[in-house]
Amino acid sequence: MSLFGKKKEETKAPSCCCGGAAPASEATEVKGASECCGKTVDGICCVKVLGAGCKSCHEQYENAKQAVKNMGLDLEVEYITDMEKVMAYGVMSMPAIVVNEQVVSAGKVLKAADVEKLLHKLGF
């Protein structure tokens, strides 16, 4: 008889259409719709802000939401504060922005206009 049994793993369906798969490493190129999940708005399937829940991370989340709104995209920006999920992306400095499951910015708070410029630079 065992006093400590194995903990049952809970699996939650990710809110992202990509299935929540984190990249193995940071890449310079953002995945296209066919590599991500096929469901996109102007080539973007998902936008996530990774953070610890601090003021700077929350500010980045609000700026990212504003940038998506300013660009006229019908996407929901996801805010991830679960450290296990954040670490799965290989991010060591926060806040970070993830587009189509690829880390595109980390370690600094970008203003909404800068997020827009970043998305345009990536081809969106």
Side-chain angles (χ1 to χ4, degrees), residues 81-98:
T81 57
D82 180 354
M83 283 300 125
E84 272 187 44
K85 291 179 182 178
V86 170
M87 296 308 289
Y89 284 94
V91 172
M92 298 303 288
S93 50
M94 293 174 266
I97 299 175
V98 176

Side-chain angles (χ1 to χ4, degrees), residues 6 14-16 24 32 44 48 50 54 65 70 72 75 81 84 87-88 92 96 98 102 104-105 115-116 119 122 124:
K6 262 193 170 178
S15 61
C16 176
I44 302 174
K48 300 175 185 178
L50 311 177
C54 64
K65 284 194 320 185
N70 291 348
L75 289 172
T81 57
E84 272 187 44
M87 296 308 289
M92 298 303 288
V98 176
Q102 300 294 315
V104 295
S105 173
V115 175
E116 286 182 57
L119 293 174
L122 295 170
F124 302 115

Side-chain angles (χ1 to χ4, degrees), residues 50-95:
L50 311 177
C54 64
K55 182 181 175 184
S56 296
C57 296
H58 188 72
E59 183 181 347
Q60 181 64 82
Y61 171 60
E62 293 299 325
N63 291 345
K65 284 194 320 185
Q66 187 62 47
V68 167
K69 182 181 176 183
N70 291 348
M71 292 177 71
L73 302 174
D74 186 27
L75 289 172
E76 185 176 330
V77 178
E78 189 177 352
Y79 185 30
I80 299 175
T81 57
D82 180 354
M83 283 300 125
E84 272 187 44
K85 291 179 182 178
V86 170
M87 296 308 289
Y89 284 94
V91 172
M92 298 303 288
S93 50
M94 293 174 266

